[in-house]
Amino acid sequence: MIDPRNHEAISPDLAGYALDALDDDVRALVEAHLEGCEDCAAELEELLEGAAALAFAVPLVIPPADLQDRISAIIDGSVEGTTSDQPTPFTTATTDRNRRIPWYASPRLAWGVSSALAAAFIGVIAVAGVVGTRLNDRVDELSAQVSDQEQSVNAVSASITTMERDVAVAQVEFQQVSQLQQSADTLSQQVNDLRWLQYVTSAGSWSMPSFFSGGEQPQAPQGVLIAHASGNKAILMINGLAPAPVGSIYQVWLTYEGHVIPGSTFTVDQNGYAVVNLDLLGDATEYIGASVTVEPVGGSQTPSEFIVLIGSDQ
Amino acid sequence: MEYIELTDEALLAQIVDRDRLALECLYQRYSTRVFSLSYRMLLDQGACEEVTQDVFLNVWRRAASYKQGRGKFTTWLFGIAHHRTIDELRKRTRGKQRSVENVDDHLNLQSADILPADAAVANSEYAIVRKALLELPEAQRIVIEMSYFGGFTQAEISDKLDQPLGTVKTRMRLGLKKLRAALASTLRTPEL
């Protein structure tokens, strides 16, 4: 057992403490040591600043607009004495999560989509087929435009960060960034959509598009599953899905004759795009559900609870 | 009083006096960053909402525990956020075998729908931190990313990478110090 006063033994664990990377017993030792060691407390402050900087190494995702109201409501309850200072049971998020119907039991997961969406999708494929020979050129052209736009965005962004915080002056720059960013995003989306259509129209006779969704946010990942006319294979095309966390991989799940069947594992490219080939056991129309989850590398035999995409009729 | 002009520390002092507008101002400044960090690690919208909620309730309830001069506000805030997220992550993965695929995936990310002005600054901050991370020796960067984003403990990292525990500790320490030094004068907030 290490003595908490043993500086030489404990100080090497300060970085692990700053990164929340210690087992509980070691963490307790470090905390006991810090109470009496000014040198370690000072070094920890430095290490914690380094760790906090890592919070900037992730892209921004906007929390729900009503989250602030939920926090205010909890504080109101606390202030008015209707609840104690104990954490109030979480409202919407937890409730919704607990109410989530397992994807393999949801009647909303039946293959196929609403007739309007299916017709629209098939219509788009038909149009794409007509112009199929020109898609390659168009994709290249749009990709080049995206690259140019992104360079412009980066240039403007860099100039903004070096400016004094004069809001009146910065406003003009921000508007330029906004316009360029929107334009680049639109072109990126077009490139991805065209890639999808290019792939589909070149691959043969496909039917039965089934749409996947990763949530209701505008930027939520989306997917389209298309079964081959032969009925024994399908393709899942995904867009806007962030890379899986370290040690994890995405995996497709299908429900067939009451059984949840593990499908292919896959990763996404830097644009969050992936095309997954699926071999089906029988007639595609017999599959009643599908989803994508985060699983350990190598895949799993049963789906985890980390669902990132789920079949939907919308 | 113009809250938007107050420093983080001044706002926190107002919160100690139960000033709700000060909390709202800090929420506006940092909720997206807290939510994004949690989302990157958990990939679960509901859980991230819960974490973000807990973090700002902690700010409200424990503002008095922040000691000015003993660390920056953002260090304190992101420390709470990361610790809370790690708790959730380990709770979810307890008993499950985790492996390491590609730690670079953590940096291979996309920006979401955010205000243009914030996007410009955030993209810049993101690029700066990413550059600083990539400039670290690879061995140091890997152990830092595995622990901070992946939630692995030092002992787990030692096991996964088949490296002595002491080596992992040393690389973490050196990497964090280099990162802090590289970013001390460049990020937006005066606290970092």
Side-chain angles (χ1 to χ4, degrees), chain A residues 9 11-23 26-27 37-38 40-43 45-68 70-76 78-79 84-94 97 100 153-154 157-158 160-161 165 174 177-178 181-182 214 217-219 221 240-250 267-273 294 296-297 304-308, chain B residues 20 23-25 27-28 30-33 35-37 39-50 52-54 56-57 60-61 69-72 74-75 78-79 82-84 86 88 90 92-93 96-127 129-130 133 143-155 157 169-170 172-173 176-177 179-180 183 187-189 191-192:
Chain A
S11 61
D13 284 322
L14 291 175
Y17 184 86
L19 289 165
D20 286 316
L22 299 181
D23 292 318
V26 182
R27 182 178 183 85
C37 183
E38 284 297 317
C40 281
E43 182 178 354
E45 186 180 327
E46 185 180 334
L47 294 167
L48 284 170
E49 286 185 19
L54 292 165
F56 291 81
V58 298
L60 296 186
V61 181
I62 297 181
D66 67 341
L67 183 56
Q68 186 174 0
R70 283 186 248 157
I71 295 171
S72 294
I74 292 172
I75 293 173
D76 286 341
S78 178
V79 169
S84 70
D85 223 23
Q86 296 298 315
T88 304
F90 198 56
T91 54
T92 307
T94 302
R97 205 146 46 89
R100 180 178 291 166
V153 169
N154 290 338
S157 298
I160 288 175
T161 57
R165 292 196 165 204
F174 287 156
V177 171
S178 173
Q181 187 74 57
Q182 287 175 5
Q217 289 185 325
Q219 298 295 325
L241 185 61
V246 165
S248 303
I249 197 166
Y250 292 122
T267 58
V268 296
D269 69 12
Q270 62 181 2
N271 297 313
Y273 181 75
V294 178
V297 172
S304 73
E305 62 186 20
F306 307 137
I307 301 170
V308 295
Chain B
R20 291 281 290 278
L23 180 67
E24 288 181 16
C25 192
Y27 181 90
Q28 293 299 326
Y30 295 112
S31 61
T32 300
R33 184 59 71 186
F35 185 82
S36 303
L37 173 63
Y39 188 82
R40 182 58 248 163
M41 296 170 67
L42 297 173
L43 278 177
D44 181 316
Q45 172 94 11
C48 297
E49 291 174 19
E50 195 165 353
T52 305
Q53 174 181 278
D54 287 353
F56 283 93
L57 287 175
W60 175 253
R61 290 166 177 158
R70 194 82 223 191
K72 315 292 172 42
T74 47
T75 302
F78 291 134
H82 186 256
H83 191 67
R84 175 68 180 80
I86 285 282
E88 183 68 23
R90 290 183 180 154
R92 288 159 172 249
T93 56
K96 294 182 178 177
Q97 182 67 27
R98 289 184 293 162
S99 58
V100 182
E101 187 189 20
N102 182 0
V103 291
D104 285 340
D105 281 353
H106 274 305
L107 303 177
N108 190 13
L109 304 165
Q110 300 180 83
S111 293
D113 183 20
I114 54 177
L115 296 175
D118 290 342
V121 176
N123 286 339
S124 172
E125 291 166 341
Y126 172 57
V129 177
R130 174 173 181 156
L133 264 175
V143 296
I144 286 175
E145 290 178 355
M146 286 179 69
S147 58
Y148 192 82
F149 296 113
F152 291 99
T153 65
Q154 287 181 335
I157 294 169
K169 292 179 181 180
T170 302
M172 272 188 185
R173 191 179 192 176
L176 272 189
K177 287 190 174 184
L179 193 62
R180 189 253 188 187
L183 297 172
L187 286 182
R188 169 180 56 165
T189 61
E191 292 76 25
L192 267 169

Side-chain angles (χ1 to χ4, degrees), chain A residues 77-148:
Chain A
S78 178
V79 169
E80 291 166 8
T82 53
T83 63
S84 70
D85 223 23
Q86 296 298 315
T88 304
F90 198 56
T91 54
T92 307
T94 302
T95 303
D96 287 346
R97 205 146 46 89
N98 291 341
R99 286 179 181 169
R100 180 178 291 166
I101 300 171
W103 64 267
Y104 45 82
S106 170
R108 289 164 57 85
L109 301 182
W111 277 49
V113 295
S114 66
S115 57
L117 282 173
F121 187 81
I122 292 170
V124 170
I125 290 175
V127 172
V130 174
V131 296
T133 55
R134 300 173 59 189
L135 285 179
N136 273 332
D137 292 341
R138 185 61 178 149
V139 168
D140 291 343
E141 180 184 334
L142 289 174
S143 296
Q145 289 182 36
V146 169
S147 176
D148 290 342

